[in-house]
Amino acid sequence: MTSSTDPAAAVQTPAARTPSRRVTSLDVVRGLMLCVSVGVNSLLATPAWFDHAGWVGVNGLDLVFPVFVTLTGCGLGFAMHRRTNVRTLARRVLVLVAAGLLYNALTTNAWDPGTWRFTGVLQLYAGVVVVIVLGHLLTRSARGWFVVTTVLAVTWTTVLAWFATTCAGGELTRECNPSGVVDLAVFGAPHVYWQGAAGHDPEGLLATLGACVSAAAGATVGHLVLSRPGPRACLRPVLLVVAGFLALAAATTWVPELLTGQAVPLMKRLWTPPFALLVGAGVCLALLLGHLLLDRPSAPTGLRRVVWPLEALGRNSLLVYFGSHVVMALLGHHAGADGRNLAQRVADTVAVAGHPQLSFTVLALLVWGAIAAVLHRRRIYLRP
């Protein structure tokens, strides 16, 4: 846990002596994403049409974590626009990995070290932080990060397209995909997603490469925003970057088909480049809209007050995102004699006008909003 006044250990450039510029729109967009995340976590039963896609394709729930990762890349781009924190990197990564193991045990209620899942969302997140931080030793420009995004996307596309040629029919399946080979070989079946029964790991080593495409896209727009004198100056460049991401998404989908006869599919399970780039383009547009509305000097004071709760949520996005997952998992464990778990009991208790789900979701949003507001007032933030 760090405060906003903590000194940053760094490899610094001369530009590090210039004052920083807080971009409110990033926190507000993160706050909106967290409202969706907390609302999703509060679902007592997830509708099939919204739940994670079984393999190829994308459903609503597949978008939440990738949007979070893309916004993380943007935030790291802001934080490292002038300096790169390397002294604290190892400690933060170790903390994230250790927290990820605990997170897995809490959310699945599995405490046997012989079957602990070594991979997971926090471990993937730690890998993304490593890549983005080290990438800032190479470049701190929007153009440079667009190149990094392109290189990562092309690399992952090449791996997927090549591996598909080794599969029956030239198609990536649960039974034939690179994650099912690499992640199981590195960690062992008992220590990955569904103990290897799923045939892949959506938060394994190879999925981390796809997540880095999303984060690098976020870093691109982050550096682009900070390199411009104001929101209006960002309009055309951001739209050009979005067009570039869309073109890359099309290229990483169809060029493999021209070369091998099989397109790289749009899917979250393997975090394919077309998926990562389309999410990146959407997040860029949301950030641009927020930047135009909130970060101009003439932004109405009333509007800033209205979005302050979202800003507070966004400033502690790591805590709220993962904390809400853990709390809901704990509430969902151990059904009573009547078959209801603690979450269902709380929902029935707070139900207003016969709507337990809606009432429970509103309660969850209010609780996490209050926690974020108190921490924001005290300038206490949990950082990656």
Side-chain angles (χ1 to χ4, degrees):
M1 188 76 70
T2 61
S3 75
S4 61
T5 57
D6 285 347
V11 174
Q12 298 187 1
T13 66
R17 290 187 288 269
T18 62
S20 61
R21 176 161 63 100
R22 189 76 203 174
V23 180
T24 303
S25 54
L26 173 62
D27 296 320
V28 171
V29 173
R30 281 194 296 209
L32 286 169
M33 181 277 300
L34 288 168
C35 288
V36 174
S37 178
V38 171
V40 167
N41 290 338
S42 72
L43 292 176
L44 303 173
T46 304
W49 59 266
F50 186 74
D51 207 351
H52 291 294
W55 184 244
V56 174
V58 178
N59 290 345
L61 197 56
D62 292 314
L63 297 172
V64 179
F65 186 50
V67 168
F68 179 79
V69 169
T70 307
L71 291 170
T72 293
C74 185
L76 289 172
F78 286 166
M80 299 176 191
H81 186 62
R82 299 153 308 159
R83 58 191 177 207
T84 302
N85 300 330
V86 293
R87 192 183 306 170
T88 58
L89 173 61
R91 176 179 61 83
R92 288 182 175 179
V93 168
L94 289 174
V95 168
L96 284 170
V97 171
L101 293 174
L102 179 60
Y103 173 85
N104 286 346
L106 286 170
T107 54
T108 61
N109 198 28
W111 297 93
D112 179 7
T115 57
W116 263 10
R117 186 184 173 197
F118 292 156
T119 59
V121 287
L122 273 167
Q123 293 90 320
L124 179 147
Y125 188 77
V128 167
V129 170
V130 169
V131 170
I132 299 303
V133 170
L134 294 181
H136 278 87
L137 296 176
L138 301 175
T139 180
R140 294 190 186 93
S141 70
R143 181 174 298 177
W145 273 100
F146 186 85
V147 172
V148 171
T149 304
T150 303
V151 170
L152 289 170
V154 169
T155 300
W156 186 214
T157 299
T158 302
V159 171
L160 291 170
W162 168 80
F163 199 93
T165 64
T166 69
C167 300
E171 183 178 355
L172 296 169
T173 65
R174 286 183 179 274
E175 294 75 28
C176 187
N177 65 82
S179 173
V181 174
V182 174
D183 289 314
L184 268 67
V186 172
F187 300 108
H191 301 290
V192 298
Y193 182 67
W194 282 13
Q195 297 185 342
H200 72 290
D201 194 319
E203 291 97 31
L205 289 175
L206 295 185
T208 301
L209 184 57
C212 286
V213 176
S214 295
T220 301
V221 73
H223 284 284
L224 186 58
V225 166
L226 287 185
S227 67
R228 300 287 160 169
R232 290 187 180 277
C234 291
L235 180 59
R236 185 169 179 271
V238 170
L239 291 178
L240 287 174
V241 165
V242 169
F245 289 159
L246 294 177
L248 273 175
T252 54
T253 300
W254 300 115
V255 169
E257 184 177 34
L258 294 175
L259 297 177
T260 67
Q262 183 66 43
V264 172
L266 186 72
M267 60 188 300
K268 163 62 175 63
R269 290 288 178 174
L270 294 178
W271 210 312
T272 59
F275 170 72
L277 291 162
L278 288 175
V279 171
V283 170
C284 284
L285 290 175
L287 286 168
L288 175 62
L289 179 60
H291 194 46
L292 292 171
L293 290 174
L294 298 170
D295 297 321
R296 54 193 173 90
S298 58
T301 303
L303 179 60
R304 290 183 178 275
R305 289 174 179 169
V306 167
V307 301
W308 188 90
L310 295 174
E311 181 183 357
L313 281 168
R315 292 297 297 273
N316 258 305
S317 58
L318 192 64
L319 171 66
V320 176
Y321 185 86
F322 291 105
S324 61
H325 275 273
V326 170
V327 169
M328 190 60 188
L330 294 175
L331 291 176
H333 290 160
H334 308 301
D338 60 356
R340 296 185 304 160
N341 57 39
L342 187 54
Q344 292 167 325
R345 291 175 180 273
V346 172
D348 290 339
T349 301
V350 301
V352 176
H355 296 288
Q357 178 63 79
L358 179 60
S359 303
F360 187 60
T361 298
V362 171
L363 176 64
L365 288 169
L366 290 175
V367 168
W368 284 107
I371 292 171
V374 170
L375 294 176
H376 187 34
R377 288 286 189 190
R378 295 176 178 268
R379 296 184 178 277
I380 299 173
Y381 307 111
L382 188 68
R383 302 193 187 283

